Amino acid sequence: MKDSIRLKLERLSDRCDEVSRLLADPDVHGKADRFRELSVEYARLQPVVSSFRAWRELERQLAAARDMARDPDREVRELAALEVEQLSSQLEEGETELQLSLVPTDPHDESNVFLEIRAAAGGDEAAIFAGDLFRMYSRYAESQGWQVEVLSESRGEHGGYREIICRIVGRGAYSKLKFESGTHRVQRVPATEAQGRIHTSTCTVAILPEVEAVESVEVNPADLRIDTYRASGAGGQHVNKTDSAVRITHIPSGIVVECQDERSQHKNRSRAMSLLVAKLLGAEQERQQREKAASRKLQVGSGDRSERIRTYNFPQGRMTDHRIELTLYKLEDIVNGVLDAVVDPLAREYRAEQLAEIA
């Protein structure tokens, strides 16, 4: 184990002991907020510290087994060699688990998400591809037991969407989908292509966590312009005869959100405000990330064909994620929502990068 990681674990162990002593202090018992805060910290530290202490015990046992391996008795040496092998394997597994336990958890991992898909370069084919991406994510959400609620949409002339914004409701949605933000590129022969030529089109995808009100960014009501309008309907009895759709403009940032899915103006306004807060939080997080690093893998980008995090090549049945150089020849499954083989390697790579930073 690297000295830097061992040092961090030893500090956590010392802090765990300190918190345990504080929790036993009668003065702390009389302060409900302080006691709750320490209890939460102890519950977070204790499993990691317990594993670290068990790992150190294995380390001591391994040192003793290696001493035995130098015993003059051949049978003792053979038994010791077996023990060294077993303990070394257990230590290696334990070290990996301990390193992962040091990776800070994202406070939004369990959150619902807002999914935004916009057609970029490619005209009608980009809009059709946006529809394909929406179907892909919808099917993946269904496989996870999540719900998909469309907030607003702008359909393309020949199918698909110029833009679609939806809310995905389900535990852990953000942890699974947060690496999907970016420019997605498709290479295929469009249905409208008479010459059989392969076209390249792009869509941008943005994933925003839905934040709780207690952690939401400050929004000054004076900075908002709220417009209501009549939502588009399917005709007949379904035509919306009241101005229930809501559009909110955050004047300082220029961010505009809208919701027209619900027939209640109150519900649409609430959904739109929630989306606005998520966008403002996302913008602030991006600003902080830009200050911290020159490049950011999860940035959405402009949607230009040369910018992409992922390519869907239909003639070859291939999907390539360019961030981690992952290539899979199971494109049909992927576009039908079987995304575990895509999202899981991204999460592992992210954890590996965080471990490298810790070390």
Side-chain angles (χ1 to χ4, degrees), residues 329-349:
Y329 287 90
K330 47 174 87 172
L331 184 57
E332 185 176 350
D333 289 342
I334 290 167
V335 296
N336 281 314
V338 184
L339 293 181
D340 286 337
V342 181
V343 299
D344 290 347
L346 285 165
R348 285 197 297 270
E349 180 71 15

Side-chain angles (χ1 to χ4, degrees), residues 167-186:
R167 177 174 176 252
I168 298 180
V169 181
R171 185 174 180 181
Y174 186 67
S175 68
K176 290 282 190 178
L177 294 174
K178 62 184 175 183
F179 303 112
E180 294 303 297
S181 293
T183 299
H184 294 238
R185 181 174 70 172
V186 64

Side-chain angles (χ1 to χ4, degrees), residues 9 24 48 53 55-56 64 73 80 101 126 132 179 188 191 199 202 248 267 278 280 283 291 299 337 350:
L9 288 165
V48 179
R53 289 170 179 169
W55 184 86
R56 285 197 300 194
D73 190 312
S101 71
D132 295 338
F179 303 112
R188 64 183 173 189
H199 286 224
T202 62
I248 301 177
K267 288 183 179 178
L280 289 171
E291 290 178 358
Q299 219 163 10
Y350 179 66

Side-chain angles (χ1 to χ4, degrees), residues 79-277:
L79 286 172
L82 287 173
E83 193 170 351
V84 166
E85 184 179 353
Q86 293 173 352
L87 289 169
S88 296
S89 177
Q90 291 174 26
L91 268 178
E92 187 175 341
E93 292 176 8
E95 181 176 342
T96 301
E97 291 177 6
L98 281 169
Q99 289 178 345
L100 289 174
S101 71
L102 290 177
V103 174
T105 57
D106 190 322
H108 301 303
D109 272 351
E110 296 301 306
S111 300
N112 305 327
V113 301
F114 293 107
L115 164 66
E116 301 182 358
I117 304 172
R118 291 183 174 84
D124 292 335
E125 172 63 9
I128 293 170
F129 180 45
D132 295 338
L133 289 175
F134 175 66
R135 185 185 62 148
M136 177 182 79
Y137 290 124
S138 296
R139 291 188 173 181
Y140 179 65
E142 182 182 352
S143 74
Q144 301 295 310
W146 303 336
Q147 293 179 315
V148 178
E149 303 170 355
V150 175
L151 300 183
S152 67
E153 61 182 50
S154 174
R155 292 187 177 271
E157 292 182 12
H158 297 279
Y161 302 95
R162 289 193 295 271
E163 173 186 283
I164 183 165
I165 301 174
C166 66
R167 177 174 176 252
I168 298 180
V169 181
R171 185 174 180 181
Y174 186 67
S175 68
K176 290 282 190 178
L177 294 174
K178 62 184 175 183
F179 303 112
E180 294 303 297
S181 293
T183 299
H184 294 238
R185 181 174 70 172
V186 64
Q187 294 173 327
R188 64 183 173 189
V189 179
T192 55
E193 170 57 55
Q195 304 297 322
R197 293 173 298 186
I198 296 173
H199 286 224
T200 298
S201 304
T202 62
C203 290
T204 62
V205 173
I207 301 290
L208 303 168
E210 182 181 42
V211 298
E212 298 291 337
V214 293
E215 62 168 342
S216 62
V217 294
E218 291 291 330
V219 179
N220 186 344
D223 291 337
L224 302 179
R225 185 176 70 244
I226 301 176
D227 302 307
T228 58
Y229 58 98
R230 189 162 299 178
S232 58
Q237 63 179 339
H238 298 294
V239 172
N240 196 324
K241 297 181 174 63
T242 61
D243 293 340
S244 63
V246 175
R247 180 184 297 112
I248 301 177
T249 304
H250 185 250
I251 297 169
S253 66
I255 293 175
V256 179
V257 297
E258 59 182 34
C259 183
Q260 57 178 307
D261 186 52
E262 299 287 347
R263 297 191 180 186
S264 161
Q265 185 185 116
H266 176 73
K267 288 183 179 178
N268 281 330
R269 180 169 177 156
S270 176
R271 292 272 180 85
M273 276 300 298
S274 183
L275 177 56
L276 174 63
V277 167

